[in-house]
Amino acid sequence: MSECGQASRDATFAFSPPSGRERAWIVLAWTLYTTGVSALGYIVARAALASAVLPPTVKAIHLGTVALCTASLAWWWTRPRGGVIAVELLEHEVLLARSRFTARRSRVPYTAIHSLSRAWPAPWQRFFVGVTGRFPFGFRPGWFAEPAALERIEAALRGRLARSPRYAEQLAGIDRRARIAAMVAAHPPRLTFVLLALTTVIFILQWRSGSLDDFVELWRLGANAWWLMSDGGAYRLFTGIFLHAAWWHFAANMLSLVLLGLQLEGLLGAWRFGLVALGGALGGSIASGLMGSRPTVGFSIAIFAMVGALIVLNLTRRSDLSPPSRVPLGLALMLLALQLALEQLVPRIDRLGHWAGFFSGALLCLLLLPGLDLARARERPSRWLRVCTVGLAAAYLAALGQAGVHAVRSDAASVLRLAAESLEDPRLPPQIITALAWGFYDLPDASRAELDRVRDAAERVVAREPDEPVYLDALALLEYRLANLERAVALERKALHRAPQAHFASQLARFEQARMDARGATAASMSRSGAVLRVERSAGRPRPPSLWVEFDRPHPDGVQLDALLEAEGELVGLLRVRLGAVVRDRVRIEPLSPDLAAALQQASLRVVDVRAGEGRLEPASLRRHYWAMKPEVAALPSWREPDFGRR
């Protein structure tokens, strides 16, 4: 081969076409990513708005459409192309490709290259070309036909830099960063995997105990909150980070742990990484547990401590870092701004714990960095650092053991009564009082005095925020349990007026049924309700039923009536009809929605409330709304006269 041909071969490197298996994996990954982001958007929107954004069927159709479109586009985008150049070395610059599937390349001057490094163990290993002011260019061994293509690319780039003396200092920095990156890639992050395994085991135990769907179980297992520490529960400061509230919560935190732990433990070593992660998590837990307004669960506090430490490393030791440890500062600021925006949208996020963990991790990293050579971070650290790390780990293990003993010996009732000891504390947030109202409502052996005490606290919450439907619903539940049915109905009706959602409508239907049954009311009692709803079903052809409302007197200012749909004594739903000026004694309600028409085929109607002047509509106008019973509400026990006895 001629000298010119050899030089051309060493200066140009082409991608190999992707195999069918690679294309399938890429399509699957992008499909899961886009549908996962879309589903996460629904979760965030539901948490921010406290209601479903779209019906489940519409969401399923939307997610299916997103998956199909993503798969189609990804399959087209990854179609085999011949001769896509990955790297081309010129006299004063290099052309680098961002993707295997496009011929577009970026021009990078040799003076802008700050690192040539390998990251992550096989089979995920990548070769990164770090460029000042840009995202790094990454290449995998499997993207090239030649097994040693990455070694040849690195050798060619180093050869070009070594040709000129002006690149000598730059090349020395590249060599130093390459040694640090090789050290990070060569040592497996054992402590990261230990934390991952421990949290996974605890999450499996949570799932088996049913605490993912039960806030009281989370409290019992060790959630971090100051109102749960009156019995010596300081261990909760350590245990809250290992508990999670949902599958997606656990998965997101563990993915972040792996991605951050791979870099941070590799840079600092296991001892320093343990002190930063666990110490930062403890700092965030103390701030959240003693001053926060919500119970804290989730490993995200430790994640934020790692993020703080990684940003400190990028600010103080940036010259020693190479991708992916070298994070663009603009990207870091953008992610922090995104976190701030997310905290405003989702009030359940523990912002105090997150930011306290962030600054705790950053401070600990600052204290550990003086005198630290990153190239020797894996060596045995000083005795005081080992003692601090071992002591901190022992405290976490002892707290987990104490939490396990407490979980075995306690039950939901004892945890609720423990939390109720702080009902008179003005710091207790209204969300927790609402949760206690639900908990004591479900508590079979709750005494009259306990229910009255929780009811009084819920009254204070409603007095402060009289228009919040969730607080009205909680107070209505307690009134229902205490047999104050008239007040329970009035409170739930107000909640439904503030937020016309199926949950509040289902609760109102339960309360109305209990109230009417206690009165002995019948479905055809026009003298009591002032109106009767009649269903006319066709005996011959299968046609939808027709619905009529009959009045015993005109209502010139309009009228609103509520009716229960019942089938064999079981509640099916709640129907609300609002009419403008009523001068006739019989009005047909049409059209009927499909779900209402289906329910009327089997269910009977019982008018439970008629309010003249509530319509406030134009004459002859008509509005109707039907809420089917929510399954979780329908599963609640039916009302019965309370018997508190001597409790």
Side-chain angles (χ1 to χ4, degrees), residues 532-546:
V532 171
L533 283 169
R534 298 193 185 280
V535 182
E536 295 180 359
R537 304 179 180 90
S538 57
R541 291 176 298 175
R543 292 180 359 189
S546 58

Side-chain angles (χ1 to χ4, degrees), residues 470-529:
V470 175
Y471 303 156
L472 291 167
D473 174 65
L475 180 56
L477 269 176
L478 292 170
E479 298 288 7
Y480 177 76
R481 174 73 190 272
L482 290 166
N484 302 326
L485 299 180
E486 293 290 344
R487 183 137 196 271
V489 168
L491 289 166
E492 201 65 45
R493 186 177 290 121
K494 187 177 179 181
L496 182 62
H497 177 72
R498 295 285 183 266
Q501 299 172 10
H503 171 82
F504 302 125
S506 300
Q507 290 283 49
L508 179 59
R510 292 179 63 232
F511 300 165
E512 288 279 20
Q513 185 186 51
R515 185 182 68 149
M516 299 301 286
D517 290 345
R519 289 179 173 181
T522 62
S525 178
M526 182 177 290
S527 61
R528 294 183 181 179
S529 65

Side-chain angles (χ1 to χ4, degrees), residues 241-262:
I241 65 169
F242 295 103
L243 301 173
H244 290 84
W247 282 95
W248 64 267
H249 187 205
F250 167 77
N253 281 340
M254 293 304 99
L255 178 61
S256 302
L257 169 62
V258 172
L259 293 178
L260 290 170
L262 282 171

